[in-house]
Amino acid sequence: MLSRFTVGNFLSFNKTQTFSMIANSVQKNKGRLFQAEDMKLLKFSSIYGANAAGKSNLIKAMAFARDVITHGTSESPDTYYFKLNPKCKDLPSYFEFEICMNGKMYSYGFELLLSEREITEEWLILLGESKNQELFSRNTTTGQYDYDKSLLTNQEDAAHFDIYINDLKFVKDKFFLQDIVSNKDTIYEDNEKLGIFKDTFRWFKSLDISFPNSMVSGYSCFSSTSTDEILNAIKTFATGISYVEAREVTKEKALEDIPSDFRKKIDKMLAELEIKGKIAGGGKDTSFGMRINCNGKLYLVHINKKEPEFNEITFEHNKLKKIPFSLAEESDGTQRLFDMLTVLLCTKENAVFVIDEIDRSLHPQMTVHFIKNFLKLARKKNIQLIITTHESHLLDLTILRQDEIWFIEKNKVGASLLMPFDRFKERFDKKIEKAYLDGRYGGVPLFDSFFFPDGYGQEDEYDDDVEDLS
């Protein structure tokens, strides 16, 4: 579960900004909180802001950090620093996740000189109520590193671990967290505490982030979900779909006539999912998969011990048998719905989902219905959902807790700032939707003029048809 995420010098974020899932003292809807070791965490959070305020950039920061942690920095973008301050090109960017694993809180973070794709610092810390315990840290500029010797039970394994971390002390394009879980299984056999590295790496591999135009996405729930369960979930959203069918096809058939770069991306993800299965170490959740939108068709890919299994998903409407519809023939809203079903059907414990622009192509009532559905499930499931949205109908304190609402806006120099709604100390019965749209909390666009094409004066008849904004 995510506790906090901090980012600085990335896209529209200049100085570090922190997004938090730590619950405040609100007594309402306590049943959908997650009890960590010494704090309660939210299972839902919504982020509001005007277009270009930085909502998507916050989600991109999470996705960027996840991707470089799991893949290294060699192919990462090198222009994502805060460009409105020329000095930021030569300053490191900051990323830190505070996460709950096995009931304990940990901080994993790093600093990265984006323009050079160089990791400068990396650390993993066990957070305590009164004292923190540094499990490992390294600085690639000075070559200094340190780790908690209590993680290893004998001198031979400690010597091997020291070699591993010493080999990476000046390596700037790969994280130690990635290296220590790759092809080093023997060192974990007699060192149970060392498993925290695998747990942390697995947490980032499982972090499910969805953007509106994602063509490939993880979908751990669908790997073990029947089409009947998918259909039952879809029916609650009144899409008109009456039947869902999964038809197995070959990989060659599914991926024919697609661009070579897209094919390479899919092959790479398939290989990573196979590695993910090995890292899981034969535990309960060893079934993995992904969803692919390809040439207007939807494929669910199941990963097991054999070759990947591709299933094309088609739909029937109004109980008309044998008249299948492909994904491309469904509405944009129905297509978007599949990103959301991943959340509702997930059976994995402590899963974290992040959906950017959840209301894209959706009717307002569908968005609200989905969130209400999730909040009911959150009383029984340990699962987190973080969304960005413009949907003001959700700004209702009969639906959301005050600490489940965040705003983001830009300051005078164009840097994004995060603000929790509970900072405003509003009453629990306050009607906040109108206040938000009126600009009381920030995070909305404010217009002070109209555009007139050349040749049209502002004293024309248009002035009688619009409200004075001055």
Side-chain angles (χ1 to χ4, degrees):
M1 305 287 273
L2 178 67
S3 170
R4 280 189 286 224
F5 172 65
T6 301
V7 60
N9 190 19
F10 184 84
L11 294 177
S12 60
F13 292 94
N14 184 12
K15 296 181 179 180
T16 54
Q17 295 288 301
T18 297
F19 168 76
S20 175
M21 294 290 286
I22 299 175
N24 65 17
S25 59
V26 171
Q27 296 299 304
K28 186 177 180 181
N29 291 314
K30 294 190 297 182
R32 62 181 189 233
L33 299 179
F34 175 81
Q35 180 64 59
E37 189 175 36
D38 57 358
M39 68 179 66
K40 288 182 171 63
L41 300 180
L42 301 169
K43 295 183 181 179
F44 175 78
S45 192
S46 56
I47 305 167
Y48 286 82
N51 293 109
K55 300 186 305 300
S56 293
N57 286 343
L58 180 67
I59 310 306
K60 288 177 181 177
M62 293 182 183
F64 173 88
R66 176 200 62 186
D67 292 345
V68 296
I69 289 167
T70 55
H71 300 118
T73 67
S74 59
E75 297 182 6
S76 64
D78 59 356
T79 60
Y80 278 10
Y81 49 85
F82 183 70
K83 291 184 177 180
L84 296 181
N85 181 351
K87 294 181 180 179
C88 286
K89 180 179 180 179
D90 300 316
L91 296 175
S93 299
Y94 185 95
F95 303 85
E96 184 175 41
F97 293 81
E98 292 181 21
I99 57 182
C100 179
M101 296 182 294
N102 304 317
K104 296 182 179 181
M105 302 300 301
Y106 297 87
S107 166
Y108 176 78
F110 60 92
E111 292 191 8
L112 174 67
L113 188 60
L114 284 171
S115 60
E116 301 295 334
R117 300 189 177 99
E118 293 182 353
I119 302 161
T120 56
E121 292 190 58
E122 181 186 9
W123 61 88
L124 176 63
I125 300 170
L126 172 61
L127 302 176
E129 188 172 358
S130 58
K131 184 179 180 181
N132 296 334
Q133 179 182 353
E134 186 178 272
L135 301 182
F136 97 96
S137 65
R138 69 178 182 125
N139 184 311
T140 65
T141 302
T142 63
Q144 292 181 324
Y145 64 86
D146 194 14
Y147 64 90
D148 188 340
K149 305 302 187 293
S150 68
L151 293 172
L152 299 129
T153 58
N154 61 69
Q155 291 185 348
E156 183 178 354
D157 288 333
H160 287 146
F161 190 86
D162 205 55
I163 291 172
Y164 296 148
I165 196 170
N166 185 68
D167 286 345
L168 264 74
K169 65 180 181 180
F170 291 116
V171 174
K172 299 185 177 184
D173 63 350
K174 186 177 183 180
F175 290 91
F176 178 70
L177 183 65
Q178 178 191 9
D179 185 76
I180 196 61
V181 301
S182 304
N183 302 316
K184 295 179 176 62
D185 292 339
T186 55
I187 198 172
Y188 292 92
E189 293 176 357
D190 299 319
N191 299 283
E192 183 178 350
K193 292 182 179 179
L194 209 60
I196 186 58
F197 290 99
K198 281 191 174 183
D199 291 342
T200 304
F201 189 75
R202 190 183 301 126
W203 190 92
F204 285 105
K205 291 288 289 186
S206 301
L207 179 59
D208 195 305
I209 301 175
S210 174
F211 294 95
N213 298 318
S214 298
M215 298 182 70
V216 182
S217 175
Y219 76 108
S220 57
C221 63
F222 287 156
S223 295
S224 57
T225 300
S226 69
T227 53
D228 288 340
E229 288 178 292
I230 297 174
L231 176 61
N232 289 337
I234 289 177
K235 282 184 175 179
T236 66
F237 293 93
T239 62
I241 293 174
S242 56
Y243 186 69
V244 177
E245 182 177 8
R247 181 173 61 89
E248 187 171 354
V249 298
T250 65
K251 177 182 177 181
E252 289 68 28
K253 178 65 176 178
L255 303 182
E256 66 181 357
D257 301 325
I258 66 171
S260 59
D261 57 341
F262 186 34
R263 175 63 180 263
K264 290 179 181 178
K265 181 178 181 180
I266 293 174
D267 287 337
K268 184 177 180 180
M269 290 189 69
L270 288 171
E272 289 172 356
L273 284 171
E274 292 175 0
I275 295 173
K276 180 180 178 181
K278 294 177 181 178
I279 293 175
K284 293 181 180 180
D285 186 18
T286 56
S287 179
F288 303 99
M290 65 183 181
R291 182 182 69 249
I292 301 174
N293 297 347
C294 182
N295 293 331
K297 298 180 180 180
L298 173 64
Y299 297 99
L300 303 184
V301 187
H302 175 71
I303 308 296
N304 52 33
K305 294 180 181 179
K306 300 178 181 179
E307 291 294 315
E309 178 183 299
F310 282 70
N311 284 280
E312 181 185 354
I313 303 299
T314 57
F315 314 94
E316 293 178 3
H317 286 257
N318 300 328
K319 298 183 180 180
L320 296 175
K321 300 291 185 180
K322 306 305 179 183
I323 305 179
F325 289 79
S326 67
L327 184 68
E329 295 175 291
E330 299 294 336
S331 70
D332 289 344
T334 300
Q335 294 180 41
R336 184 70 171 134
L337 183 58
F338 270 86
D339 284 331
M340 299 155 64
L341 291 183
T342 301
V343 180
L344 298 185
L345 294 172
C346 181
T347 58
K348 182 181 177 181
E349 280 289 302
N350 302 321
V352 181
F353 293 92
V354 184
I355 301 180
D356 186 35
E357 297 186 31
I358 194 171
D359 51 321
R360 177 88 167 262
S361 302
L362 295 180
H363 188 281
Q365 293 297 341
M366 182 178 282
T367 305
V368 173
H369 177 69
F370 171 79
I371 297 303
K372 286 182 176 180
N373 201 140
F374 172 82
L375 293 174
K376 286 183 178 294
L377 287 175
R379 292 182 174 274
K380 299 181 178 180
K381 289 185 176 183
N382 288 331
I383 185 173
Q384 276 184 322
L385 173 63
I386 300 164
I387 67 169
T388 68
T389 183
H390 294 288
E391 185 47 70
S392 62
H393 287 80
L394 278 174
L395 290 172
D396 184 339
L397 295 181
T398 66
I399 301 175
L400 301 182
R401 292 166 49 99
Q402 290 178 313
D403 50 5
E404 292 174 332
I405 302 170
W406 283 75
F407 300 112
I408 189 168
E409 65 178 3
K410 287 185 175 178
N411 62 15
K412 293 181 180 180
V413 298
S416 295
L417 303 176
L418 278 164
M419 297 175 295
F421 171 69
D422 55 11
R423 176 185 298 177
F424 295 95
K425 308 296 182 183
E426 294 285 21
R427 288 170 39 181
F428 295 103
D429 58 352
K430 172 78 173 182
K431 302 298 183 182
I432 64 173
E433 179 182 6
K434 185 178 185 302
Y436 165 69
L437 294 174
D438 287 342
R440 173 176 171 81
Y441 313 121
V444 293
L446 300 176
F447 310 109
D448 59 5
S449 65
F450 288 94
F451 167 71
F452 290 87
D454 291 342
Y456 290 83
Q458 295 199 24
E459 302 299 325
D460 292 339
E461 66 273 19
Y462 295 108
D463 290 342
D464 297 328
D465 299 329
V466 298
E467 181 182 355
D468 184 10
L469 297 181
S470 61

